[in-house]
């Protein structure tokens, strides 16, 4: 099997932040890790919700933070 990468758009509290190419598995973990690595949050507990929506063009991750 060959991994497939698709565009994954990331938004925080409704504000668009980035578009990454990624394999669309474990998207909640990807969202939390991205928020931590970008220093948008300092702990995973600050992420209150991750909603992953599959769109025709790729994926949208709606991340809610405190």
């Amino acid at each position: 099997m060959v991994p497939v990468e698709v565009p994954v758009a990331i938004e925080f509290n409704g504000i668009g932040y980035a578009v990454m190419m990624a394999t669309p598995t474990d998207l909640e973990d990807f969202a939390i890790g991205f928020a931590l690595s970008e220093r948008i949050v300092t702990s995973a507990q600050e992420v209150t919700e991750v909603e992953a929506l599959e769109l025709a063009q790729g994926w949208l991750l709606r991340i809610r933070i405190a």
Side-chain angles (χ1 to χ4, degrees):
M1 291 179 40
V2 176
V4 175
E5 287 191 336
V6 297
V8 178
I10 300 167
E11 65 178 40
F12 291 96
N13 293 343
I15 300 170
Y17 186 82
V19 177
M20 307 286 292
M21 294 299 290
T23 302
T25 57
D26 302 318
L27 288 175
E28 185 171 342
D29 291 336
F30 176 80
I32 293 170
F34 183 84
L36 287 165
S37 67
E38 289 291 306
R39 297 183 179 169
I40 294 170
V41 297
T42 57
S43 73
Q45 288 73 30
E46 292 178 63
V47 176
T48 59
E49 180 183 1
V50 176
E51 181 181 12
L53 301 169
E54 186 174 12
L55 307 172
Q57 305 89 347
W59 287 82
L60 171 62
L61 292 178
R62 291 184 173 158
I63 304 167
R64 298 272 177 229
I65 56 176

